[in-house]
């Protein structure tokens, strides 16, 4: 349970950093950006566990969370631009 809370907090910060790093004109607001960061952090955490990079009960590191947030933000921008 604690690793989930840590992943959410790191994802909040990672979402803001991913927004600053990701190029382009994003129409997403603060709430959407932080939610995408949290999703990216959780994606990095559970994806890393699935690949065997992280042991059970630990969360992804900060850099992996930022990379996950950038990936989710990129996919979000692709989906939003097509609709």
């Amino acid at each position: 349970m604690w690793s989930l809370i840590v992943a959410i907090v790191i994802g909040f910060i990672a979402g803001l950093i991913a927004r600053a790093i990701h190029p382009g004109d994003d129409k997403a607001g603060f709430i959407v950006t932080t939610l995408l960061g949290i999703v990216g952090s959780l994606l990095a955490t559970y994806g890393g566990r699935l690949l065997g990079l992280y042991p059970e009960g630990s969360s992804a590191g900060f850099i992996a969370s930022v990379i996950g947030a950038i990936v989710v933000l990129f996919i979000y921008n692709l989906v939003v631009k097509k609709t």
Side-chain angles (χ1 to χ4, degrees):
M1 181 68 178
W2 182 250
S3 65
L4 179 64
I5 294 170
V6 171
I8 289 172
V9 171
I10 290 175
F12 174 77
I13 298 167
L16 298 176
I17 292 174
R19 172 81 177 255
I21 292 173
H22 188 271
D25 183 27
D26 291 333
K27 304 276 191 265
F30 177 76
I31 302 293
V32 173
T33 301
T34 55
L35 289 175
L36 291 175
I38 292 170
V39 169
S41 177
L42 293 174
L43 176 76
T45 297
Y46 292 112
R49 286 182 191 170
L50 184 67
L51 295 174
L53 300 174
Y54 304 114
E56 189 65 34
S58 68
S59 62
F62 185 70
I63 295 174
S65 294
V66 171
I67 291 171
I70 290 172
V71 168
V72 171
L73 189 59
F74 178 75
I75 293 170
Y76 174 79
N77 286 332
L78 287 176
V79 170
V80 169
K81 287 183 182 180
K82 287 187 179 191
T83 58

